[in-house]
């Protein structure tokens, strides 16, 4: 007897599981960057998403006192508060369990000491291999900020970036705090002034040229502050219009705009202290319409801006919506955004990036997304097949490879790495 043909949903799930991923935005580093590469259980537990959740229960705990503790002691507090005293049901808490399970550890045992022993036994390079293999991620795009002193020191020492990693040049400070940027630029030898002059614009252009040459980034990127508006004569808009986008164009690199983050709503929480702010769609529309020769990747932090982003992408082919960013990276939103984007853009978008800060997070972030993607695609392709249209395995592979990275490489105008 012939075996029955696998169902459409089984074929989709199988192909998703087999397809190597390009993770287009993370906060990871190669092993050559030493301690900047965060990995292991204590880092997973002290992820800032979990620290924020822990403080909701531990109202007795002083913020500064917590952050003054060694990393393992911080991790103990998060473990006890979010995993033992309460059920680890939030997306970030569940993610830790998904990760441990995927690493073959006994989650039922609740044995933090055993988890620590497991991760302590891995060298950085073995750890990268394991995480990338388990997540089926073939390429990780980093976030490389020359204004970050610790990171710049690694570049200055000549730290190499191996072929599994690609860089992205991050320049938030130019838009968020120009006086602070001037201070740092001058310390790096670029003769800028607080006043916006042609000489300052030229020096800033040289700064970008220098770091583009040094880092070889796949794209430039910034998280733009909520007050950013274009068109405008305000300095942040002029920096974008007169220097950053011309540099992106000259180097044929996309510019990634991440919008909707309200930084340091509660500074006591440090990295966990950022919130959200409304997104001005008219600004994005103006920028992408004016600079047609530049490609833009855009991810937005607010739920209510997502439909407008899809519609804008239909109008401007130099705009690629990407990812379910940060507070949208939970199953509810991943499912909704992926459906919405497929319904309005087909597969001409990038449904997800991991935003991993800790190496092991690529395992759970991708596992959770893949489950949802499989469900959504089975539904959408199933609806097509109800008409009698059939999708062959090659076509499914083509579509899924695009969603998991191919569309990004195409947008860059480069061969898939
Ligand atoms: O998701 C995060 O970890 C945030 O803290 C941010 O880093 C955000 O992803 C960003 O890139 O600004
Ligand atoms: Zn990020």
């Amino acid at each position: 007897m012939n075996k029955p043909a696998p169902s459409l949903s089984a074929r989709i799930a199988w192909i998703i599981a087999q397809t190597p991923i390009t993770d287009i935005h993370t906060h990871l580093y190669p092993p050559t960057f030493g301690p900047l590469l965060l990995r292991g259980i204590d880092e997973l537990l002290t992820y800032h998403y979990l620290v924020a959740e822990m403080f909701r229960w531990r109202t007795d705990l002083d913020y500064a006192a917590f952050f003054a503790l060694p990393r393992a002691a911080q991790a103990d507090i998060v473990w006890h508060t979010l995993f033992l005293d309460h059920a680890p049901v939030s997306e970030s808490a569940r993610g830790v369990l998904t990760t441990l399970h995927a690493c073959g550890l006994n989650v039922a045992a609740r044995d933090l000491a055993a988890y620590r022993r497991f991760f302590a036994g891995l060298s950085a390079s073995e750890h990268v291999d394991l995480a990338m293999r388990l997540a089926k991620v073939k390429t990780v795009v980093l976030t490389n900020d020359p204004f970050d002193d610790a990171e710049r020191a690694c570049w200055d020492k000549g730290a190499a970036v191996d072929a599994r990693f690609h860089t992205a040049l991050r320049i938030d400070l130019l838009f968020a705090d120009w006086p602070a940027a001037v201070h740092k630029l001058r310390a790096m030898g670029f003769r800028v002034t607080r006043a916006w002059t042609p000489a300052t614009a030229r020096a800033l252009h040289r700064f970008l040229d220098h770091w583009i040459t040094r880092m070889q980034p796949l794209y430039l990127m910034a998280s733009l502050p909520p007050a950013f508006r274009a068109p405008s004569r305000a300095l942040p808009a002029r920096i974008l219009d007169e220097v950053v986008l011309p540099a992106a164009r000259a180097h044929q690199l996309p510019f990634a705009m991440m919008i909707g983050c309200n930084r340091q709503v509660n500074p006591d929480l440090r990295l966990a202290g950022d919130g959200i702010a409304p997104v001005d769609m008219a600004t994005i529309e103006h920028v992408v319409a004016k600079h047609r020769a530049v490609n833009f990747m855009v991810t937005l932090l607010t739920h209510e801006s997502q439909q407008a982003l899809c519609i804008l992408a239909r109008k401007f082919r130099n705009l690629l919506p990407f990812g379910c960013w940060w507070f949208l990276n939970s199953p509810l939103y991943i499912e909704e955004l992926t459906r919405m984007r497929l319904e309005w853009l087909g597969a001409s978008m990038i449904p997800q990036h991991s935003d991993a800060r800790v190496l092991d997070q690529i395992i759970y972030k991708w596992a959770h997304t893949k489950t949802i993607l499989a469900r959504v695609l089975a539904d959408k392709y199933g609806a097509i097949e109800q008409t009698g249209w059939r999708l062959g395995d090659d076509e499914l592979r083509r579509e899924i490879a695009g969603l998991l990275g191919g569309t990004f490489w195409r947008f860059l105008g480069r061969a898939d790495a």
Side-chain angles (χ1 to χ4, degrees):
M1 248 193 34
N2 285 342
K3 271 215 284 191
S7 66
L8 178 64
S9 50
R11 287 160 61 217
I12 290 169
W14 168 251
I15 293 170
I16 288 177
Q18 299 308 309
T19 303
I21 297 167
T22 298
D23 193 343
I24 75 165
H25 170 60
T26 73
H27 296 265
L28 301 177
Y29 292 92
T32 46
F33 282 57
L36 293 189
L37 171 61
L38 304 182
R39 58 194 184 92
I41 185 67
D42 287 344
E43 298 296 345
L44 280 171
L45 288 170
T46 53
Y47 186 31
H48 68 86
Y49 292 30
L50 287 173
V51 167
E53 292 169 28
M54 177 276 294
F55 272 117
R56 294 201 43 76
W57 296 113
R58 291 295 308 269
T59 48
D60 59 311
L61 188 59
D62 181 66
Y63 294 114
F66 172 81
F67 288 114
L69 293 171
R71 188 50 57 112
Q74 295 180 7
D76 284 337
I77 293 176
V78 174
W79 173 252
H80 278 274
T81 309
L82 294 182
F83 292 78
L84 303 183
D85 295 346
H86 302 277
V89 72
S90 76
E91 174 63 7
S92 314
R94 173 186 161 227
V96 174
L97 303 182
T98 304
T99 304
L100 296 175
H101 177 68
C103 289
L105 295 163
N106 182 351
V107 174
R110 304 185 178 196
D111 188 350
L112 183 53
Y115 309 149
R116 284 184 167 138
R117 280 195 301 278
F118 171 80
F119 288 109
L122 297 170
S123 72
S125 162
E126 287 166 349
H127 204 154
V128 170
D129 286 344
L130 176 72
M132 292 183 77
R133 180 167 57 74
L134 292 176
K136 194 94 183 147
V137 167
K138 65 172 173 177
T139 308
V140 164
V141 184
L142 316 171
T143 296
N144 302 98
D145 184 352
F147 293 114
D148 181 300
D149 297 338
E151 170 159 3
R152 202 175 57 253
C154 294
W155 288 105
D156 290 346
K157 272 193 296 199
V161 176
D162 74 71
R164 295 169 298 182
F165 300 91
H166 278 96
T167 54
L169 174 55
R170 178 93 177 224
I171 48 175
D172 290 14
L173 199 66
L174 294 179
F175 305 103
D177 189 347
W178 175 244
V182 167
H183 185 72
K184 292 217 165 200
L185 287 162
R186 292 183 71 90
M188 286 184 243
F190 297 96
R191 300 183 60 175
V192 293
T193 55
R194 273 191 185 216
W196 189 244
T197 63
T200 289
R202 281 195 301 276
L204 193 54
H205 207 122
R206 278 196 297 280
F207 162 79
L208 294 177
D209 288 344
H210 170 82
W211 283 104
I212 290 169
T213 305
R214 179 76 190 84
M215 290 175 175
Q216 297 286 309
L218 292 182
Y219 57 85
L220 313 181
M221 71 187 309
S223 167
L224 296 174
F228 184 92
R229 290 288 181 281
S232 161
R233 296 299 295 163
L235 198 52
R238 295 192 67 178
I239 291 172
L240 184 71
D241 210 48
E242 296 173 30
V243 178
V244 173
L245 295 181
R249 183 176 181 176
H251 291 273
Q252 296 202 318
L253 295 173
F255 181 61
M257 299 194 278
M258 309 179 79
I259 308 180
C261 174
N262 194 12
R263 299 280 169 195
Q264 295 299 281
V265 170
N266 180 358
D268 288 340
L269 279 169
R270 304 198 182 174
L271 203 51
D274 296 341
I276 60 177
V279 172
D280 183 49
M281 292 308 301
T283 289
I284 304 174
E285 185 177 312
H286 170 82
V287 171
V288 301
K290 179 172 176 193
H291 297 272
R292 303 285 181 98
V294 176
N295 277 343
F296 294 89
M297 296 156 56
V298 175
T299 198
L300 305 177
L301 202 49
T302 57
H303 179 229
E304 67 273 13
S305 55
Q306 300 301 325
Q307 183 217 12
L309 180 63
C310 280
I311 305 312
L312 200 58
R314 291 170 65 87
K315 309 300 141 195
F316 296 100
R317 60 190 173 174
N318 58 332
L319 166 52
L320 180 69
F322 76 97
C324 302
W325 183 24
W326 199 346
F327 305 120
L328 292 169
N329 194 353
S330 67
L332 175 72
Y333 295 120
I334 298 170
E335 175 134 8
E336 184 192 294
L337 266 57
T338 306
R339 283 180 182 276
M340 187 195 292
R341 289 166 174 172
L342 281 169
E343 287 169 14
W344 287 105
L345 301 170
S348 68
M349 49 88 181
I350 292 294
Q352 191 59 298
H353 63 269
S354 78
D355 233 314
R357 281 181 179 269
V358 180
L359 173 62
D360 313 272
Q361 289 169 342
I362 60 175
I363 300 168
Y364 90 79
K365 300 222 186 202
W366 283 109
H368 293 186
T369 284
K370 283 184 213 182
T371 304
I372 297 163
L373 186 61
R375 185 162 68 231
V376 172
L377 291 182
D379 185 39
K380 292 288 153 205
Y381 297 155
I384 302 173
E385 291 210 338
Q386 273 175 20
T387 67
W389 187 273
R390 290 285 170 263
L391 285 162
D393 281 355
D394 285 353
E395 289 172 313
L396 291 179
R397 272 193 213 99
R398 178 194 67 205
E399 299 295 300
I400 290 166
L403 290 166
L404 294 179
T407 299
F408 167 71
W409 291 104
R410 190 164 180 261
F411 192 73
L412 296 185
R414 297 189 188 212
D416 196 334

